[in-house]
Amino acid sequence: METGENNWKNNCVLAKLVYVYEGIEPESPKSKRHKLVNPHYFSGVYDGADNAELWDEVYAYLDSHYDLKKVKKIYLNADGGTWIQSGKKRIAGITSVLDEFHLQKYLLKMTSHLKDSADDARKELCDAVKSGTKADFQSVVGQLKVCAETEATEKRIEESGAYILSNWTAAKIRLKDRETVKGCSAEGHVSHVLSSRMSSRPMGWSRTGVDKMAHLRAYYWNGGDMLELVRQQERELPVAAGTENEVLSCESMLRWERHRHNKLGKYIESINHSVSTEVKKYAWFHAHIWGL
């Protein structure tokens, strides 16, 4: 399980992303690229108490798709954020792992000023995390601070060291269990699932708009039929006088889709409607509305 987030700083809207998968495998027998095995995505704007709602959704999916009594371990690859750590309180038995991106990011920030000696310094830091104690790690950090030529560099080393110490156990697991703990692709998935549609080009979003689009992006990446959602909206539009122009909410459409999925069986794919007469309409829908 991995997490990420896409932040629109101008209005402090944070779309969160969690995805569950069973492992990784090559895209093809000769390919060096890998793909996730059976990924499932959750996304939306969740703040404060709403974090519990997000993690409850994740747990409900795990509980309905797996026999959790037989699952040996669930790894949570993340950067150690507070909202991410709250997931451990909602789902028992999670093992936190500091993702490779952030671990390497802070190791580089601590050693970049050393130039030719940077690789040796990073190895010493990694050895301290992997096999040593916090005191061993702090000793190496102290040596690096002595070599700092400016106050800014010294501050950067101190802050980076504090970050790793605050995620000590998660960083240690990342370095010790290389064979069982897979690399984290959260940054890439945030880019593909959220950023490519919502922030790669200048756009303005309301909080509601971010939340709805994030949910729809997760739905699409989970294999959902976007056109079927629109069809269902048309079928369920109110027909009472004066309500002809009312539109079902995103949540209503997704709730209907989940109900339809449960009715057919959680392991059975919904039968796709034929759209042979609507190919142009389908293409236009994707290109001009969803940008997928």
Side-chain angles (χ1 to χ4, degrees):
M1 177 167 29
E2 296 178 2
T3 65
E5 56 197 26
N6 199 346
N7 191 9
W8 287 267
K9 296 181 180 179
N10 291 338
N11 53 7
C12 299
V13 177
L14 185 69
K16 298 170 181 175
L17 174 69
V18 177
Y19 56 100
V20 176
Y21 62 101
E22 299 171 8
I24 60 175
E25 63 183 10
E27 290 186 346
S28 64
K30 296 182 179 181
S31 176
K32 294 182 179 180
R33 295 175 60 86
H34 289 76
K35 63 180 181 180
L36 303 181
V37 178
N38 295 329
H40 191 85
Y41 301 85
F42 307 83
S43 188
V45 177
Y46 299 88
D47 294 327
D50 290 342
N51 280 325
E53 179 184 349
L54 169 60
W55 290 111
D56 286 347
E57 289 177 13
V58 175
Y59 175 78
Y61 173 82
L62 292 172
D63 188 47
S64 65
H65 286 72
Y66 302 97
D67 185 348
L68 294 180
K69 293 181 180 179
K70 296 181 179 180
V71 174
K72 294 182 179 180
K73 187 162 291 188
I74 300 175
Y75 289 105
L76 175 59
N77 270 304
D79 64 1
T82 303
W83 75 268
I84 298 169
Q85 294 303 317
S86 67
K88 297 177 66 176
K89 299 178 181 179
R90 310 295 298 186
I91 305 175
I94 285 182
T95 299
S96 293
V97 181
L98 186 60
D99 70 76
E100 191 78 35
F101 174 84
H102 286 88
L103 176 60
Q104 294 301 324
K105 172 184 175 180
Y106 286 100
L107 289 174
L108 286 169
K109 291 178 70 172
M110 297 172 70
T111 58
S112 59
H113 64 290
L114 297 177
K115 299 180 180 179
D116 292 343
S117 302
D119 289 343
D120 292 334
R122 281 195 292 274
K123 184 180 184 305
E124 192 171 353
L125 286 167
C126 287
D127 288 343
V129 174
K130 180 179 179 180
S131 306
T133 64
K134 289 185 177 181
D136 296 329
F137 179 78
Q138 289 174 313
S139 176
V140 180
V141 172
Q143 296 173 31
L144 294 174
K145 290 171 65 177
V146 170
C147 298
E149 297 179 352
T150 65
E151 289 186 5
T153 300
E154 184 175 348
K155 182 179 180 180
R156 187 175 68 243
I157 294 170
E158 186 174 350
E159 291 177 347
S160 299
Y163 174 83
I164 293 177
L165 285 170
S166 67
N167 294 280
W168 181 255
T169 302
K172 186 179 283 288
I173 293 173
R174 161 62 61 193
L175 293 174
K176 288 185 68 174
D177 298 346
R178 289 289 190 183
E179 293 186 4
T180 54
V181 177
K182 305 302 180 183
C184 179
S185 57
E187 297 298 320
H189 276 81
V190 168
S191 177
H192 289 301
V193 178
L194 297 177
S195 301
S196 63
R197 177 61 181 87
M198 304 174 73
S199 63
S200 61
R201 298 173 299 280
M203 295 181 180
W205 294 92
S206 67
R207 174 192 169 88
T208 300
V210 170
D211 185 51
K212 290 180 181 295
M213 182 55 72
H215 275 87
L216 286 171
R217 290 292 289 178
Y219 173 75
Y220 171 80
W221 278 77
N222 288 333
D225 188 334
M226 305 296 287
L227 196 56
E228 180 59 27
L229 279 180
V230 176
R231 288 198 189 97
Q232 181 60 25
Q233 182 184 33
E234 293 175 349
R235 287 195 290 266
E236 295 189 3
L237 279 174
V239 295
T243 63
E244 292 84 355
N245 294 322
E246 291 186 19
V247 179
L248 290 179
S249 68
C250 167
E251 289 81 1
S252 298
M253 290 191 292
L254 294 177
R255 186 164 55 248
W256 168 83
E257 177 64 19
R258 285 194 294 269
H259 173 73
R260 186 174 71 111
H261 184 267
N262 291 335
K263 186 176 181 180
L264 292 173
K266 62 186 178 183
Y267 297 115
I268 301 177
E269 293 293 337
S270 300
I271 300 174
N272 291 326
H273 288 252
S274 171
V275 292
S276 58
T277 60
E278 300 178 332
V279 173
K280 292 183 179 180
K281 181 179 179 181
Y282 184 80
W284 184 93
F285 178 79
H286 277 265
H288 296 280
I289 298 181
W290 302 111
L292 299 171

